[in-house]
Amino acid sequence: MVYAFKDALKDQLRIYGLSSFHPQKFTRVLRREFLGRRCEVCQVVRDNDPGSDTLCPACLEKLKIRRRGFCPGCARIYALEETGPYYCLDCRTRPFPWSGLGFFGPYQDRLRELILCFKFNADLGLGRVLGSMLVQAVNYHGGLKADMVIPVPMHESRLRKRGFNQSLELARIFSVKTGLKLQPLAMAKKKATAPQSTLNRKERMKELRGAYAACPDRVKGRSILLVDDIFTTGSTLEECTRTLLGAGASRVHVLFLARGVM
């Protein structure tokens, strides 16, 4: 009778794609079967929809990577998405110091909501979705080959207040997904600065001057992929890039989720 029960149990497990009984896997199966898989963004139950492993079709439709209608030098978003990528006047006359750039989309609508929730509500569970977007961005834009990933650092006073560095969390997830080595200690923010949202570009550059320091032993002769969440004026990424190049980095690529629409 015991053997018959074991055989019956094995048959039932095979129905759910399990070769043997494992408590954690079995719990996940039960949750999926009785509660349904949920979209990681809107939490709608999605049992047999044709969406991805994590998002429902509706959220996939609202979270598409920007493929056209932007500047490849600074990711400035153009009004007409149908136009091909082309350099804006600012990037033609005064290019940024990085060697390449990748991003997912404009900082608006559903993408903006996700970043705000992740950043200010500490909904770190969204990191999986946002990290996947960074992978999509680096794959789409291509040419962002690097030896290591470095997140834009946060000053310790801001870190104590927020509790985590969103750029580090994104870089950590991106590193796991791509296998690219994470170097969170290669650069630090040594000077507290005023909230950048209250300043224009000129004021931001002045405020950030000398705010960062990079470790030459870690970055000299290396190609860097610098990760952040949002690009608004580019002042933070520009100062970090100049700091890394000044410490001997061979080149710096920048990767971020969203470009502020100005």
Side-chain angles (χ1 to χ4, degrees), residues 144-150 175 179-183 218-225 249-251 253:
L144 304 181
K145 306 299 182 183
D147 298 316
M148 64 183 70
V149 180
I150 296 179
S175 173
L180 198 56
K181 186 176 182 180
L182 177 65
Q183 284 281 17
R218 296 177 186 269
V219 305
K220 189 174 182 179
R222 302 298 184 89
S223 177
I224 310 298
L225 184 60
S250 60
R251 60 184 177 181
H253 300 301

Side-chain angles (χ1 to χ4, degrees), residues 12-258:
Q12 290 299 313
L13 289 173
R14 290 192 193 100
I15 294 175
Y16 296 108
L18 297 175
S19 59
S20 60
F21 180 78
H22 187 284
Q24 291 181 335
K25 291 181 179 179
F26 193 64
T27 300
R28 286 199 295 269
V29 167
L30 289 177
R31 186 183 297 118
R32 184 178 70 241
E33 292 300 320
F34 292 101
L35 299 180
R37 293 178 300 163
R38 291 183 179 272
C39 172
E40 292 194 8
V41 173
C42 68
Q43 299 303 309
V44 67
V45 175
R46 39 178 302 274
D47 287 320
N48 299 310
D49 63 55
S52 71
D53 290 336
T54 58
L55 304 184
C56 67
C59 285
L60 279 174
E61 181 65 27
K62 295 177 181 178
L63 291 168
K64 290 182 176 179
I65 190 170
R66 183 81 173 201
R67 297 181 180 276
R68 300 171 64 83
F70 64 88
C71 171
C74 68
R76 182 191 296 270
I77 304 296
Y78 300 136
L80 296 177
E81 187 173 354
E82 294 76 17
T83 60
Y86 63 90
Y87 286 93
C88 66
L89 178 61
D90 289 341
C91 285
R92 291 198 298 269
T93 57
R94 183 190 169 280
F96 284 98
W98 45 74
S99 300
L101 173 148
F103 78 109
F104 188 83
Y107 184 56
Q108 59 188 21
D109 302 330
R110 185 58 59 87
L111 180 57
R112 180 177 181 273
E113 293 173 9
L114 290 183
I115 294 174
L116 287 174
C117 194
F118 176 74
K119 188 172 181 177
F120 296 111
N121 292 350
D123 191 347
L124 300 183
L126 291 174
R128 179 183 175 189
V129 176
L130 297 175
S132 295
M133 291 179 185
L134 286 179
V135 175
Q136 288 184 58
V138 81
N139 288 338
Y140 174 73
H141 291 280
L144 304 181
K145 306 299 182 183
D147 298 316
M148 64 183 70
V149 180
I150 296 179
V152 169
M154 181 180 287
H155 190 266
E156 58 182 12
S157 61
R158 181 68 61 83
L159 185 60
R160 285 196 300 269
K161 184 177 181 180
R162 181 169 296 171
F164 70 102
N165 177 358
Q166 72 279 356
S167 298
L168 173 57
E169 295 307 314
L170 290 172
R172 193 193 313 278
I173 295 167
F174 178 83
S175 173
V176 171
K177 288 179 175 291
T178 61
L180 198 56
K181 186 176 182 180
L182 177 65
Q183 284 281 17
L185 302 180
M187 186 166 59
K189 190 172 185 181
K190 60 182 182 180
K191 184 180 77 171
T193 55
Q196 298 296 290
S197 59
T198 64
L199 308 175
N200 59 36
R201 174 171 169 76
K202 185 177 180 180
E203 292 170 334
R204 291 182 186 209
M205 292 304 300
K206 182 179 179 181
E207 181 75 9
L208 289 170
R209 194 169 296 125
Y212 299 95
C215 178
D217 292 342
R218 296 177 186 269
V219 305
K220 189 174 182 179
R222 302 298 184 89
S223 177
I224 310 298
L225 184 60
L226 182 64
V227 173
D228 204 2
D229 57 343
I230 306 169
F231 179 121
T232 304
T233 66
S235 52
T236 298
L237 286 170
E238 181 173 4
E239 183 64 23
C240 287
T241 297
R242 294 191 186 282
T243 300
L244 289 167
L245 292 174
S250 60
R251 60 184 177 181
V252 177
H253 300 301
V254 296
L255 177 66
F256 48 93
L257 286 169

